[in-house]
Amino acid sequence: MEDILKSFSLEGKVALVTGATYGIGFEIAAAYSKAGAKVAVNGHNKERLEKAVEEYHKLGIEVKAYLCDVTNEFDVAEMVEEIGKDLGTVDILVNNAGMIKRIPMCEMSATEFREVIDVDLTAPFIVSKAVLPGMIEKGHGKIINICSMMSELGRETVSAYASAKGGLKMLTRNIAAEFGGYNIQCNGIGPGYIATPQTAPLREPGPDGSMHPFDRFIRSRTPANRWGTTEDLTGPAIFLASDASDFVNGQVLYVDGGILGYIGRQEN
């Protein structure tokens, strides 16, 4: 049993989590630190990054912070080089940084569409490309892309986001295919609807205290009958970053409370 549990340890590993100033990225970075990893966290807003570091320290968690725009190839290369000097070669990368614009397709400009694609799809390509040479040299590595249920489903007003997340699913599979022979595993985590600041507007009650229609809709379509929490993602994130998942490659693990496997209940 001890050997089995040891395979889930991240002791001595170096992890980089992008977009780790709040929400999912923050929770995963904190969990990795508790599992024994040396953790580098990234953000693109200086004030927010500094505030996040304070929050980590309040929890007794040591992280090394790096200010970087992950859509900029040259900035990313510099960040990865700095991490190498400060902490060591990156063993684990979590491509978490992301954005969403909820705009009907015919009202969305091509510039807005490209902005979402750049952050949600191009950035994971850029950061993965930057860490892969070090992983190849070490002979192992883990890349975890934060995908989405929108990697599988469409929904009104999120054409850019769904396009990016669908592309990220395929980037995950292609990294697995191209680098699996180097003992590098690339997998995705597909969160369901998670209670974060990003989804807060979808859970706001009406002026009369009534449930937001979208909140009611999601609960009715989820067998767990609730929104997920960021903590719900930490177990899967540790598994995919650990030696326990060494023969898991090119997969997306959906952490959605069962929503993708459920047709919904019949209205009375």
Side-chain angles (χ1 to χ4, degrees):
M1 178 62 74
E2 186 177 339
D3 288 342
I4 292 172
L5 294 178
K6 190 176 178 181
S7 70
F8 289 88
S9 171
L10 304 184
E11 195 70 40
K13 302 288 179 68
V14 176
L16 166 60
V17 184
T18 69
T21 56
Y22 67 94
I24 292 171
F26 185 100
E27 202 69 46
I28 289 175
Y32 282 177
S33 178
K34 292 174 184 176
K38 293 183 284 185
V39 180
V41 297
N42 154 261
H44 74 280
N45 180 290
K46 187 173 185 291
E47 184 178 340
R48 188 181 294 165
L49 186 60
E50 289 173 349
K51 184 178 179 182
V53 170
E54 290 178 7
E55 292 299 315
Y56 283 115
H57 289 167
K58 286 179 185 176
L59 295 171
I61 293 167
E62 287 298 321
V63 297
K64 187 77 174 174
Y66 297 87
L67 185 68
C68 174
D69 175 3
V70 289
T71 67
N72 185 307
E73 194 168 6
F74 302 103
D75 287 355
V76 168
E78 286 184 2
M79 176 180 70
V80 171
E81 185 177 354
E82 286 179 28
I83 294 170
K85 292 174 182 176
D86 296 339
L87 302 177
T89 303
V90 173
D91 299 290
I92 302 159
L93 166 65
V94 179
N95 283 310
N96 169 74
M99 71 178 302
I100 189 169
K101 289 181 180 288
R102 295 184 179 90
I103 303 172
M105 184 171 168
C106 289
E107 297 172 19
M108 186 176 227
S109 69
T111 298
E112 290 169 323
F113 186 91
R114 291 189 187 103
E115 186 180 359
V116 176
I117 298 295
D118 210 24
V119 174
D120 291 356
L121 179 57
T122 307
F125 163 79
I126 289 171
V127 186
S128 297
K129 189 176 78 163
V131 303
L132 276 163
M135 291 179 173
I136 291 170
E137 188 175 343
K138 262 193 162 184
H140 68 81
K142 303 280 187 175
I143 296 175
I144 300 165
N145 294 322
I146 303 301
C147 297
S148 167
M149 289 195 305
M150 296 302 109
S151 299
E152 300 289 343
L153 301 172
R155 189 168 62 80
E156 62 277 4
T157 78
V158 293
S159 57
Y161 182 78
S163 297
K165 293 300 186 178
L168 187 57
K169 176 181 70 174
M170 293 311 301
L171 177 64
T172 299
R173 291 177 178 173
N174 277 271
I175 292 172
E178 191 165 349
F179 299 100
Y182 297 99
N183 191 28
I184 294 169
Q185 293 83 47
C186 181
N187 293 288
I189 292 176
Y193 283 91
I194 306 296
T196 67
Q198 197 175 33
T199 59
L202 302 176
R203 291 177 281 110
E204 287 290 332
D208 60 354
S210 61
M211 186 181 289
H212 190 293
F214 191 78
D215 187 6
R216 187 185 305 110
F217 168 73
I218 290 304
R219 288 173 183 270
S220 72
R221 291 295 187 272
T222 307
N225 195 33
R226 66 174 177 87
W227 288 66
T229 67
T230 52
E231 290 88 348
D232 287 324
L233 300 168
T234 57
I238 288 173
F239 166 63
L240 292 177
S242 72
D243 295 344
S245 62
D246 279 354
F247 205 55
V248 180
N249 211 0
Q251 306 300 311
V252 179
L253 174 55
Y254 290 99
V255 186
D256 64 356
I259 194 170
L260 280 176
Y262 182 50
I263 196 171
R265 63 179 61 88
Q266 182 179 336
E267 296 292 338
N268 292 326

